[in-house]
């Protein structure tokens, strides 16, 4: 399980790095073109300022997302259900029988 968690963390970090590498562009104000907002990285990606990804890459990305969701679902389905083994009763309280 720790290996899966480490893999998930690494994939999240690389995904965030990819999102932050969007192109930078200047968005002029409607009434005064000499003023505006400089958008870069994540802001430009969220607004769709970057060029669209190739269709083949989108398919691979979709398959990776489906695979990740499937692995998480499988882990929760096959995991053993029960009380938390690390739980301790607060001091001064009697433990409830299970």
């Amino acid at each position: 399980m720790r290996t899966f968690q480490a893999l998930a963390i690494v994939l999240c970090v690389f995904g965030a790095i990819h999102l932050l590498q969007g192109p930078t562009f200047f968005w002029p104000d409607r009434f005064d073109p000499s003023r505006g907002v400089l958008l870069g990285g994540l802001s430009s990606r969220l607004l769709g300022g970057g060029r669209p990804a190739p269709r083949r890459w989108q398919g691979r990305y979709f398959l990776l997302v489906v695979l990740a969701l499937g692995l998480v679902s499988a882990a929760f389905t096959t995991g053993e259900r029960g009380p938390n083994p690390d739980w301790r009763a607060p001091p001064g309280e009697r433990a409830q029988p299970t």
Side-chain angles (χ1 to χ4, degrees):
M1 186 64 178
R2 288 183 184 170
T3 304
F4 174 72
Q5 289 173 341
L7 178 65
I9 290 170
V10 168
L11 288 176
C12 287
V13 167
F14 281 123
I17 290 170
H18 172 72
L19 284 177
L20 292 174
Q21 293 177 349
T24 301
F25 68 95
F26 182 75
W27 190 348
D29 187 25
R30 184 184 328 176
F31 301 110
D32 184 8
S34 64
R35 299 184 50 84
V37 179
L38 181 65
L39 298 170
L42 182 59
S43 300
S44 66
R45 285 264 182 205
L46 291 174
L47 292 173
R51 64 182 191 280
R55 187 139 177 91
R56 191 174 190 187
W57 181 87
Q58 289 177 357
R60 287 181 186 163
Y61 187 74
F62 175 75
L63 289 176
L64 287 174
V65 169
V66 169
L67 177 66
L69 291 174
L71 288 174
V72 169
S73 298
F76 278 110
T77 302
T78 60
E80 187 176 329
R81 302 246 181 231
N84 184 356
D86 295 328
W87 184 82
R88 302 283 186 261
E93 288 187 26
R94 223 176 70 199
Q96 297 292 328
T98 54

Coordinates of all heavy atoms in Angstrom, one line a residue:
M1 N 0.8 -1.2 0.0 CA 0.0 0.0 0.0 C 0.9 1.3 0.0 O 0.5 2.2 -0.6 CB -0.9 0.0 1.2 CG -1.9 1.1 1.2 SD -3.0 0.9 -0.2 CE -4.1 2.2 0.1
R2 N 2.0 1.2 0.7 CA 2.9 2.4 0.7 C 3.5 2.7 -0.6 O 3.7 3.8 -1.0 CB 4.0 2.1 1.8 CG 3.5 2.2 3.2 CD 4.6 2.1 4.1 NE 4.1 2.1 5.5 CZ 4.8 1.8 6.6 NH1 6.1 1.5 6.4 NH2 4.3 1.8 7.7
T3 N 3.7 1.6 -1.4 CA 4.2 1.8 -2.7 C 3.2 2.5 -3.6 O 3.5 3.4 -4.4 CB 4.6 0.4 -3.4 OG1 5.5 -0.2 -2.5 CG2 5.2 0.6 -4.7
F4 N 1.9 2.1 -3.5 CA 0.9 2.8 -4.2 C 0.7 4.2 -3.8 O 0.6 5.1 -4.6 CB -0.5 2.0 -4.0 CG -1.6 2.7 -4.6 CD1 -1.8 2.8 -6.0 CD2 -2.5 3.4 -3.9 CE1 -2.8 3.4 -6.6 CE2 -3.6 4.1 -4.4 CZ -3.7 4.1 -5.8
Q5 N 0.8 4.5 -2.5 CA 0.7 5.9 -2.0 C 1.9 6.7 -2.6 O 1.7 7.9 -3.0 CB 0.7 5.9 -0.5 CG -0.6 5.4 0.1 CD -0.6 5.3 1.6 OE1 0.5 5.3 2.2 NE2 -1.7 5.3 2.2
A6 N 3.1 6.2 -2.6 CA 4.2 6.9 -3.1 C 4.1 7.2 -4.6 O 4.4 8.3 -5.0 CB 5.5 6.1 -2.8
L7 N 3.6 6.2 -5.3 CA 3.3 6.4 -6.7 C 2.3 7.5 -7.0 O 2.4 8.3 -7.8 CB 2.9 5.1 -7.4 CG 2.5 5.1 -8.9 CD1 3.8 5.5 -9.7 CD2 1.9 3.8 -9.3
A8 N 1.2 7.4 -6.2 CA 0.2 8.5 -6.3 C 0.7 9.9 -6.0 O 0.4 10.8 -6.7 CB -1.0 8.1 -5.4
I9 N 1.5 10.0 -5.0 CA 2.1 11.3 -4.7 C 3.0 11.8 -5.8 O 3.0 12.9 -6.2 CB 2.9 11.2 -3.3 CG1 1.9 11.0 -2.2 CG2 3.7 12.4 -3.1 CD1 2.5 10.7 -0.9
V10 N 3.8 10.9 -6.3 CA 4.7 11.3 -7.4 C 3.9 11.7 -8.7 O 4.3 12.7 -9.3 CB 5.7 10.1 -7.8 CG1 6.4 10.4 -9.1 CG2 6.7 9.9 -6.6
L11 N 2.9 11.0 -9.0 CA 2.1 11.3 -10.1 C 1.4 12.7 -9.9 O 1.3 13.5 -10.8 CB 1.0 10.3 -10.4 CG 1.5 9.0 -11.0 CD1 0.4 7.9 -11.1 CD2 2.2 9.2 -12.3
C12 N 0.9 13.0 -8.7 CA 0.3 14.3 -8.4 C 1.3 15.4 -8.5 O 1.0 16.5 -9.1 CB -0.3 14.3 -7.0 SG -1.8 13.3 -6.9
V13 N 2.5 15.2 -8.1 CA 3.6 16.2 -8.2 C 3.9 16.5 -9.6 O 4.0 17.6 -10.1 CB 4.8 15.8 -7.4 CG1 6.0 16.7 -7.7 CG2 4.6 15.8 -5.9
F14 N 4.1 15.4 -10.4 CA 4.4 15.7 -11.9 C 3.2 16.3 -12.6 O 3.4 17.1 -13.5 CB 4.8 14.4 -12.6 CG 6.2 13.9 -12.3 CD1 6.5 12.7 -11.7 CD2 7.2 14.8 -12.6 CE1 7.8 12.3 -11.5 CE2 8.5 14.4 -12.3 CZ 8.8 13.2 -11.7
G15 N 2.0 16.0 -12.2 CA 0.8 16.6 -12.8 C 0.8 18.1 -12.5 O 0.4 18.9 -13.3
A16 N 1.1 18.4 -11.2 CA 1.1 19.8 -10.8 C 2.2 20.6 -11.6 O 2.0 21.7 -12.0 CB 1.3 19.9 -9.3
I17 N 3.3 20.0 -11.7 CA 4.4 20.7 -12.4 C 4.0 20.9 -13.9 O 4.2 22.0 -14.4 CB 5.7 19.8 -12.4 CG1 6.3 19.9 -10.9 CG2 6.7 20.3 -13.4 CD1 7.4 18.9 -10.7
H18 N 3.3 19.9 -14.5 CA 2.8 20.1 -15.9 C 1.8 21.3 -16.0 O 1.9 22.1 -16.9 CB 2.2 18.8 -16.4 CG 1.5 19.0 -17.7 ND1 2.3 19.1 -18.9 CD2 0.2 19.0 -18.0 CE1 1.4 19.3 -19.9 NE2 0.2 19.2 -19.4
L19 N 0.9 21.4 -15.0 CA -0.1 22.4 -15.0 C 0.6 23.8 -14.9 O 0.1 24.8 -15.4 CB -1.1 22.2 -13.9 CG -2.1 21.1 -14.2 CD1 -3.0 21.0 -12.9 CD2 -3.0 21.5 -15.4
L20 N 1.6 23.9 -14.1 CA 2.3 25.2 -13.9 C 3.1 25.6 -15.0 O 3.6 26.7 -15.0 CB 3.1 25.1 -12.6 CG 2.3 24.9 -11.3 CD1 3.2 24.7 -10.1 CD2 1.4 26.1 -11.1
Q21 N 3.3 24.8 -16.0 CA 4.1 25.2 -17.2 C 3.4 25.7 -18.4 O 3.8 25.7 -19.5 CB 5.0 24.0 -17.6 CG 6.0 23.6 -16.6 CD 6.8 22.4 -17.0 OE1 6.4 21.7 -18.0 NE2 7.8 22.1 -16.3
G22 N 2.2 26.3 -18.1 CA 1.4 26.9 -19.2 C 2.1 28.1 -19.8 O 2.9 28.7 -19.1
P23 N 1.7 28.5 -21.0 CA 2.3 29.7 -21.6 C 1.9 31.0 -20.9 O 0.8 31.1 -20.4 CB 1.8 29.7 -23.1 CG 0.5 28.9 -23.0 CD 0.7 27.9 -21.9
T24 N 2.7 32.0 -20.9 CA 2.4 33.3 -20.3 C 1.9 34.2 -21.4 O 2.4 34.2 -22.5 CB 3.7 33.9 -19.7 OG1 4.2 33.0 -18.7 CG2 3.4 35.2 -19.0
F25 N 0.8 34.9 -21.1 CA 0.3 35.9 -22.1 C -0.3 37.1 -21.3 O -0.7 37.0 -20.2 CB -0.6 35.3 -23.1 CG -1.9 34.9 -22.5 CD1 -3.0 35.7 -22.5 CD2 -2.1 33.6 -22.0 CE1 -4.3 35.3 -22.0 CE2 -3.3 33.2 -21.4 CZ -4.4 34.0 -21.5
F26 N -0.4 38.2 -22.0 CA -1.0 39.4 -21.5 C -2.4 39.6 -21.9 O -2.7 39.5 -23.1 CB -0.1 40.6 -21.9 CG -0.6 41.9 -21.3 CD1 -0.4 42.3 -20.0 CD2 -1.3 42.8 -22.1 CE1 -0.8 43.4 -19.5 CE2 -1.8 44.0 -21.6 CZ -1.5 44.3 -20.2
W27 N -3.3 39.8 -21.0 CA -4.7 40.0 -21.3 C -5.1 41.4 -21.1 O -5.2 41.9 -20.0 CB -5.6 39.1 -20.4 CG -7.0 39.0 -20.8 CD1 -7.7 39.7 -21.7 CD2 -7.9 38.0 -20.3 NE1 -9.0 39.3 -21.8 CE2 -9.2 38.3 -20.9 CE3 -7.9 37.0 -19.4 CZ2 -10.3 37.6 -20.6 CZ3 -9.0 36.3 -19.1 CH2 -10.2 36.6 -19.7
P28 N -5.2 42.2 -22.2 CA -5.4 43.6 -22.0 C -6.8 44.0 -21.5 O -7.8 43.2 -21.7 CB -5.3 44.2 -23.4 CG -5.5 43.1 -24.3 CD -5.1 41.8 -23.6
D29 N -6.9 45.1 -20.8 CA -8.2 45.6 -20.3 C -9.1 46.0 -21.4 O -8.6 46.4 -22.5 CB -7.9 46.8 -19.4 CG -9.2 47.2 -18.6 OD1 -10.1 46.4 -18.4 OD2 -9.2 48.4 -18.2
R30 N -10.4 45.8 -21.2 CA -11.4 46.1 -22.3 C -11.4 47.6 -22.7 O -11.4 47.9 -23.9 CB -12.7 45.7 -21.8 CG -13.8 45.8 -22.9 CD -15.2 45.6 -22.4 NE -15.3 44.5 -21.4 CZ -16.4 44.2 -20.8 NH1 -17.5 44.8 -21.1 NH2 -16.4 43.2 -19.9
F31 N -11.3 48.5 -21.7 CA -11.4 49.9 -22.0 C -10.0 50.6 -22.1 O -9.9 51.6 -22.7 CB -12.2 50.6 -20.9 CG -13.6 50.0 -20.7 CD1 -13.9 49.2 -19.6 CD2 -14.5 50.1 -21.7 CE1 -15.2 48.7 -19.5 CE2 -15.8 49.6 -21.6 CZ -16.1 48.8 -20.5
D32 N -9.0 50.0 -21.6 CA -7.6 50.6 -21.7 C -6.6 49.5 -22.0 O -6.1 48.9 -21.1 CB -7.3 51.3 -20.3 CG -6.0 52.1 -20.4 OD1 -5.4 52.2 -21.5 OD2 -5.5 52.5 -19.3
P33 N -6.3 49.4 -23.3 CA -5.4 48.3 -23.7 C -4.0 48.4 -23.1 O -3.2 47.4 -23.1 CB -5.3 48.3 -25.2 CG -6.5 49.2 -25.6 CD -6.8 50.0 -24.4
S34 N -3.6 49.6 -22.6 CA -2.3 49.7 -22.0 C -2.2 49.1 -20.6 O -1.1 48.9 -20.1 CB -1.9 51.2 -21.9 OG -2.7 51.9 -21.0
R35 N -3.3 48.7 -20.0 CA -3.4 48.0 -18.7 C -4.0 46.7 -18.9 O -4.8 46.5 -19.9 CB -4.1 48.9 -17.7 CG -3.5 50.2 -17.5 CD -4.2 51.0 -16.4 NE -4.5 50.3 -15.2 CZ -3.6 50.2 -14.2 NH1 -2.4 50.8 -14.3 NH2 -3.9 49.6 -13.1
G36 N -3.8 45.8 -18.0 CA -4.4 44.4 -18.1 C -3.8 43.5 -17.1 O -3.3 43.9 -16.1
V37 N -3.9 42.2 -17.4 CA -3.5 41.2 -16.5 C -2.5 40.3 -17.2 O -2.7 39.8 -18.3 CB -4.6 40.3 -16.0 CG1 -4.2 39.2 -15.0 CG2 -5.7 41.2 -15.3
L38 N -1.3 40.0 -16.5 CA -0.4 39.1 -17.1 C -0.7 37.7 -16.5 O -0.6 37.5 -15.3 CB 1.1 39.5 -16.7 CG 2.2 38.6 -17.2 CD1 2.2 38.7 -18.8 CD2 3.5 39.0 -16.6
L39 N -1.1 36.8 -17.4 CA -1.4 35.4 -16.9 C -0.3 34.5 -17.3 O 0.2 34.5 -18.4 CB -2.7 35.0 -17.6 CG -3.9 35.8 -17.3 CD1 -5.1 35.5 -18.2 CD2 -4.3 35.7 -15.9
G40 N 0.0 33.6 -16.4 CA 1.1 32.7 -16.6 C 0.8 31.4 -15.9 O 0.1 31.3 -14.9
G41 N 1.4 30.3 -16.4 CA 1.3 29.0 -15.7 C -0.1 28.5 -15.6 O -0.8 28.3 -16.6
L42 N -0.5 28.3 -14.3 CA -1.8 27.6 -14.1 C -3.0 28.5 -14.6 O -4.0 28.0 -15.1 CB -2.0 27.4 -12.6 CG -3.3 26.7 -12.1 CD1 -3.4 25.3 -12.8 CD2 -3.3 26.5 -10.6
S43 N -2.9 29.8 -14.4 CA -3.9 30.7 -14.8 C -4.2 30.6 -16.3 O -5.4 30.5 -16.8 CB -3.6 32.2 -14.5 OG -3.4 32.4 -13.2
S44 N -3.2 30.6 -17.1 CA -3.4 30.4 -18.6 C -3.9 29.1 -19.0 O -4.7 28.9 -19.9 CB -2.1 30.7 -19.3 OG -1.1 29.8 -19.1
R45 N -3.5 28.0 -18.2 CA -4.0 26.7 -18.5 C -5.5 26.6 -18.2 O -6.3 26.0 -19.0 CB -3.3 25.6 -17.7 CG -2.0 25.3 -18.2 CD -2.0 24.1 -19.0 NE -0.7 23.8 -19.4 CZ -0.4 23.2 -20.5 NH1 -1.3 22.7 -21.3 NH2 0.9 23.0 -20.8
L46 N -5.9 27.2 -17.1 CA -7.3 27.2 -16.7 C -8.2 28.0 -17.7 O -9.3 27.6 -17.9 CB -7.5 27.8 -15.3 CG -6.9 26.9 -14.2 CD1 -7.0 27.7 -12.8 CD2 -7.7 25.6 -14.1
L47 N -7.6 29.0 -18.3 CA -8.4 29.8 -19.3 C -8.3 29.2 -20.7 O -8.9 29.7 -21.6 CB -7.9 31.2 -19.3 CG -8.2 32.0 -18.0 CD1 -7.5 33.4 -18.0 CD2 -9.7 32.2 -17.8
G48 N -7.5 28.2 -20.9 CA -7.4 27.6 -22.2 C -6.5 28.4 -23.1 O -6.6 28.3 -24.3
G49 N -5.6 29.1 -22.5 CA -4.6 29.9 -23.3 C -3.6 29.1 -24.0 O -3.0 29.5 -25.0
G50 N -3.3 27.9 -23.5 CA -2.3 27.1 -24.1 C -2.9 26.3 -25.3 O -4.1 26.2 -25.5
R51 N -2.0 25.8 -26.1 CA -2.4 25.0 -27.3 C -3.0 23.7 -26.8 O -2.6 23.2 -25.8 CB -1.3 24.8 -28.2 CG -0.2 23.9 -27.7 CD 1.0 23.7 -28.6 NE 1.9 22.7 -28.2 CZ 2.8 22.9 -27.3 NH1 3.0 24.1 -26.7 NH2 3.6 22.0 -26.9
P52 N -4.0 23.2 -27.4 CA -4.6 22.0 -27.0 C -3.7 20.8 -27.1 O -2.8 20.8 -28.0 CB -5.9 21.8 -27.9 CG -5.6 22.6 -29.1 CD -4.7 23.7 -28.6
A53 N -3.8 19.9 -26.2 CA -2.9 18.7 -26.3 C -3.3 17.8 -27.4 O -4.5 17.8 -27.8 CB -3.1 17.9 -25.0
P54 N -2.4 17.0 -28.0 CA -2.7 16.1 -29.1 C -3.7 15.1 -28.6 O -3.8 14.7 -27.4 CB -1.4 15.5 -29.4 CG -0.3 16.3 -28.8 CD -1.0 17.0 -27.6
R55 N -4.5 14.6 -29.6 CA -5.6 13.6 -29.2 C -5.0 12.4 -28.6 O -5.6 11.8 -27.8 CB -6.3 13.4 -30.5 CG -7.5 12.5 -30.3 CD -8.7 13.0 -31.2 NE -9.9 12.2 -31.1 CZ -10.8 12.4 -30.2 NH1 -10.7 13.4 -29.3 NH2 -11.9 11.7 -30.2
R56 N -3.9 12.0 -29.1 CA -3.2 10.7 -28.6 C -2.8 10.9 -27.1 O -3.0 10.0 -26.3 CB -2.0 10.4 -29.5 CG -1.4 9.1 -29.2 CD -0.3 8.8 -30.2 NE 0.1 7.5 -30.2 CZ 1.1 7.0 -30.8 NH1 1.8 7.7 -31.6 NH2 1.4 5.7 -30.7
W57 N -2.3 12.1 -26.8 CA -1.9 12.3 -25.4 C -3.2 12.3 -24.5 O -3.1 11.8 -23.4 CB -1.2 13.6 -25.3 CG -0.7 14.0 -23.9 CD1 0.4 13.6 -23.3 CD2 -1.4 14.7 -23.0 NE1 0.5 14.1 -22.1 CE2 -0.7 14.8 -21.8 CE3 -2.7 15.4 -23.0 CZ2 -1.1 15.4 -20.6 CZ3 -3.1 16.0 -21.8 CH2 -2.3 16.1 -20.7
Q58 N -4.3 12.9 -25.0 CA -5.5 13.0 -24.2 C -6.0 11.6 -23.9 O -6.5 11.3 -22.8 CB -6.6 13.8 -25.0 CG -6.3 15.3 -25.0 CD -7.3 16.0 -25.8 OE1 -8.2 15.4 -26.4 NE2 -7.2 17.3 -25.8
G59 N -5.9 10.7 -24.9 CA -6.3 9.3 -24.7 C -5.5 8.6 -23.7 O -6.0 7.9 -22.8
R60 N -4.2 8.8 -23.7 CA -3.3 8.2 -22.7 C -3.6 8.7 -21.3 O -3.6 8.0 -20.4 CB -1.8 8.5 -23.1 CG -1.3 7.7 -24.2 CD 0.1 8.0 -24.5 NE 0.6 7.3 -25.7 CZ 1.7 7.6 -26.4 NH1 2.4 8.6 -25.9 NH2 2.0 7.0 -27.4
Y61 N -3.8 10.0 -21.2 CA -4.1 10.7 -19.9 C -5.4 10.1 -19.4 O -5.5 9.8 -18.2 CB -4.2 12.2 -20.1 CG -4.3 12.9 -18.8 CD1 -3.2 13.1 -18.0 CD2 -5.5 13.5 -18.5 CE1 -3.4 13.8 -16.8 CE2 -5.7 14.2 -17.3 CZ -4.6 14.3 -16.5 OH -4.7 15.0 -15.3
F62 N -6.4 9.9 -20.2 CA -7.7 9.4 -19.8 C -7.5 8.0 -19.3 O -8.0 7.6 -18.2 CB -8.7 9.4 -20.9 CG -10.0 8.7 -20.6 CD1 -10.9 9.3 -19.8 CD2 -10.3 7.5 -21.1 CE1 -12.1 8.7 -19.5 CE2 -11.4 6.8 -20.8 CZ -12.4 7.5 -20.0
L63 N -6.7 7.2 -20.0 CA -6.5 5.8 -19.5 C -5.7 5.8 -18.2 O -6.0 4.9 -17.3 CB -5.7 5.0 -20.6 CG -6.5 4.7 -21.9 CD1 -5.6 4.0 -22.9 CD2 -7.7 3.8 -21.5
L64 N -4.8 6.7 -18.0 CA -4.1 6.7 -16.7 C -5.0 7.1 -15.6 O -4.9 6.6 -14.5 CB -2.9 7.7 -16.8 CG -1.7 7.2 -17.6 CD1 -0.7 8.3 -17.7 CD2 -1.1 6.0 -16.9
V65 N -5.9 8.1 -15.8 CA -6.9 8.5 -14.8 C -7.8 7.3 -14.4 O -8.0 7.0 -13.3 CB -7.7 9.7 -15.2 CG1 -8.8 10.0 -14.3 CG2 -6.8 10.9 -15.3
V66 N -8.3 6.6 -15.5 CA -9.1 5.4 -15.2 C -8.4 4.4 -14.5 O -8.9 3.7 -13.5 CB -9.7 4.9 -16.5 CG1 -10.4 3.6 -16.4 CG2 -10.7 5.9 -17.1
L67 N -7.1 4.1 -14.8 CA -6.3 3.1 -14.1 C -6.1 3.5 -12.7 O -6.3 2.7 -11.8 CB -5.0 3.0 -14.8 CG -4.0 2.0 -14.1 CD1 -4.5 0.6 -14.2 CD2 -2.6 2.1 -14.8
A68 N -5.8 4.8 -12.4 CA -5.6 5.2 -11.0 C -6.9 5.1 -10.2 O -6.9 4.6 -9.1 CB -5.2 6.7 -11.0
L69 N -8.1 5.4 -10.8 CA -9.3 5.3 -10.1 C -9.6 3.8 -9.8 O -10.1 3.4 -8.8 CB -10.5 5.9 -10.9 CG -10.4 7.4 -10.9 CD1 -11.5 7.9 -11.8 CD2 -10.6 8.0 -9.5
G70 N -9.3 3.0 -10.8 CA -9.5 1.5 -10.6 C -8.6 0.9 -9.5 O -9.1 0.1 -8.8
L71 N -7.4 1.4 -9.5 CA -6.5 0.9 -8.4 C -7.0 1.3 -7.0 O -6.9 0.5 -6.1 CB -5.1 1.3 -8.7 CG -4.3 0.7 -9.9 CD1 -3.0 1.3 -10.1 CD2 -4.2 -0.8 -9.6
V72 N -7.4 2.5 -6.9 CA -7.9 3.0 -5.6 C -9.2 2.3 -5.2 O -9.3 1.8 -4.1 CB -8.2 4.5 -5.7 CG1 -8.9 5.0 -4.4 CG2 -6.8 5.3 -5.8
S73 N -10.1 2.1 -6.2 CA -11.3 1.3 -5.9 C -11.0 -0.1 -5.5 O -11.6 -0.7 -4.6 CB -12.2 1.3 -7.2 OG -12.6 2.6 -7.5
A74 N -10.0 -0.8 -6.2 CA -9.6 -2.1 -5.9 C -9.0 -2.2 -4.5 O -9.3 -3.1 -3.7 CB -8.6 -2.7 -6.9
A75 N -8.2 -1.2 -4.1 CA -7.6 -1.2 -2.8 C -8.7 -1.1 -1.7 O -8.6 -1.8 -0.7 CB -6.6 0.0 -2.6
F76 N -9.7 -0.2 -1.9 CA -10.7 -0.1 -0.9 C -11.6 -1.3 -0.9 O -12.2 -1.7 0.2 CB -11.6 1.2 -1.1 CG -10.9 2.4 -0.6 CD1 -10.4 3.3 -1.4 CD2 -10.8 2.6 0.8 CE1 -9.8 4.5 -0.9 CE2 -10.2 3.7 1.3 CZ -9.7 4.7 0.4
T77 N -11.9 -2.0 -2.0 CA -12.7 -3.1 -2.1 C -12.1 -4.3 -1.4 O -12.7 -5.1 -0.7 CB -13.0 -3.5 -3.5 OG1 -13.6 -2.3 -4.1 CG2 -14.0 -4.7 -3.6
T78 N -10.8 -4.5 -1.6 CA -10.1 -5.7 -1.1 C -9.5 -5.5 0.3 O -9.1 -6.4 1.0 CB -9.0 -6.2 -2.0 OG1 -8.0 -5.1 -2.1 CG2 -9.5 -6.5 -3.4
G79 N -9.6 -4.2 0.8 CA -9.1 -3.9 2.1 C -9.9 -4.6 3.2 O -11.1 -4.8 3.1
E80 N -9.3 -4.9 4.3 CA -10.0 -5.5 5.5 C -10.7 -4.4 6.3 O -10.1 -3.4 6.7 CB -8.9 -6.2 6.3 CG -9.5 -7.0 7.4 CD -8.5 -7.8 8.2 OE1 -7.5 -8.2 7.6 OE2 -8.7 -8.0 9.4
R81 N -12.0 -4.6 6.5 CA -12.8 -3.7 7.3 C -12.7 -4.0 8.8 O -12.6 -5.2 9.1 CB -14.2 -3.7 6.9 CG -14.4 -3.4 5.4 CD -15.2 -2.1 5.2 NE -15.4 -1.9 3.8 CZ -15.1 -0.7 3.3 NH1 -14.5 0.2 4.0 NH2 -15.3 -0.5 2.0
G82 N -12.7 -3.0 9.6 CA -12.6 -3.2 11.0 C -12.2 -1.9 11.8 O -12.1 -0.9 11.2
P83 N -12.2 -2.0 13.1 CA -11.8 -0.8 13.9 C -10.4 -0.4 13.7 O -9.5 -1.2 13.2 CB -12.1 -1.3 15.3 CG -11.9 -2.8 15.3 CD -12.4 -3.2 13.9
N84 N -10.1 0.8 14.0 CA -8.7 1.3 13.8 C -7.9 0.7 14.9 O -8.1 0.8 16.1 CB -8.8 2.8 14.0 CG -7.4 3.5 13.8 OD1 -6.4 2.8 13.6 ND2 -7.4 4.8 13.9
P85 N -6.8 0.0 14.5 CA -5.9 -0.7 15.5 C -5.1 0.3 16.3 O -4.6 -0.1 17.4 CB -5.0 -1.6 14.7 CG -5.1 -1.0 13.3 CD -6.4 -0.3 13.2
D86 N -5.0 1.5 15.9 CA -4.2 2.5 16.6 C -5.0 3.4 17.5 O -4.4 4.2 18.2 CB -3.4 3.4 15.6 CG -2.4 2.6 14.8 OD1 -1.8 1.6 15.4 OD2 -2.2 3.0 13.6
W87 N -6.3 3.2 17.6 CA -7.2 4.0 18.4 C -7.0 3.7 19.9 O -6.9 2.6 20.3 CB -8.6 3.8 18.0 CG -9.5 4.8 18.7 CD1 -9.8 6.0 18.4 CD2 -10.3 4.5 19.9 NE1 -10.7 6.6 19.3 CE2 -11.0 5.6 20.3 CE3 -10.4 3.4 20.7 CZ2 -11.8 5.7 21.4 CZ3 -11.2 3.4 21.8 CH2 -11.9 4.6 22.1
R88 N -6.9 4.8 20.6 CA -6.7 4.6 22.1 C -7.8 5.5 22.7 O -8.1 6.6 22.3 CB -5.4 5.1 22.6 CG -4.2 4.4 22.0 CD -4.0 3.1 22.6 NE -2.8 2.4 22.1 CZ -2.7 1.5 21.2 NH1 -3.8 1.2 20.6 NH2 -1.6 1.0 20.8
A89 N -8.4 5.0 23.8 CA -9.5 5.7 24.5 C -8.8 7.0 25.2 O -7.7 6.9 25.7 CB -10.1 4.9 25.6
P90 N -9.5 8.1 25.1 CA -8.9 9.3 25.8 C -8.7 9.0 27.3 O -9.5 8.2 27.9 CB -10.0 10.4 25.6 CG -10.8 9.9 24.4 CD -10.7 8.4 24.5
P91 N -7.7 9.7 27.9 CA -7.5 9.4 29.3 C -8.7 9.8 30.2 O -9.4 10.8 29.9 CB -6.3 10.4 29.7 CG -5.8 10.8 28.3 CD -6.8 10.6 27.3
G92 N -9.0 8.9 31.1 CA -10.2 9.2 32.0 C -11.4 8.6 31.5 O -12.4 8.6 32.2
E93 N -11.5 8.1 30.3 CA -12.7 7.4 29.7 C -12.5 5.9 29.6 O -11.4 5.4 29.4 CB -13.0 8.0 28.4 CG -13.6 9.4 28.4 CD -14.0 9.8 27.0 OE1 -14.4 8.9 26.2 OE2 -14.1 11.0 26.7
R94 N -13.6 5.2 29.9 CA -13.5 3.8 29.8 C -13.7 3.4 28.3 O -14.5 3.9 27.6 CB -14.7 3.2 30.6 CG -14.3 2.0 31.4 CD -15.4 1.5 32.2 NE -16.4 0.9 31.3 CZ -17.6 0.7 31.7 NH1 -18.0 1.0 32.9 NH2 -18.5 0.1 30.9
A95 N -12.9 2.4 27.9 CA -13.0 1.9 26.5 C -14.3 1.2 26.3 O -14.8 0.5 27.1 CB -11.9 1.0 26.1
Q96 N -15.0 1.5 25.2 CA -16.3 0.9 24.8 C -16.0 -0.6 24.3 O -15.1 -0.8 23.5 CB -17.0 1.7 23.8 CG -17.4 3.0 24.2 CD -18.4 3.0 25.3 OE1 -19.3 2.2 25.3 NE2 -18.3 4.0 26.2
P97 N -16.7 -1.5 24.8 CA -16.6 -2.9 24.2 C -17.0 -2.9 22.8 O -18.0 -2.3 22.4 CB -17.4 -3.8 25.1 CG -18.4 -2.8 25.7 CD -17.8 -1.5 25.8
T98 N -16.3 -3.7 22.0 CA -16.6 -3.8 20.5 C -17.2 -5.1 20.2 O -17.0 -6.1 20.8 CB -15.4 -3.6 19.7 OG1 -14.4 -4.6 20.1 CG2 -14.9 -2.2 19.7

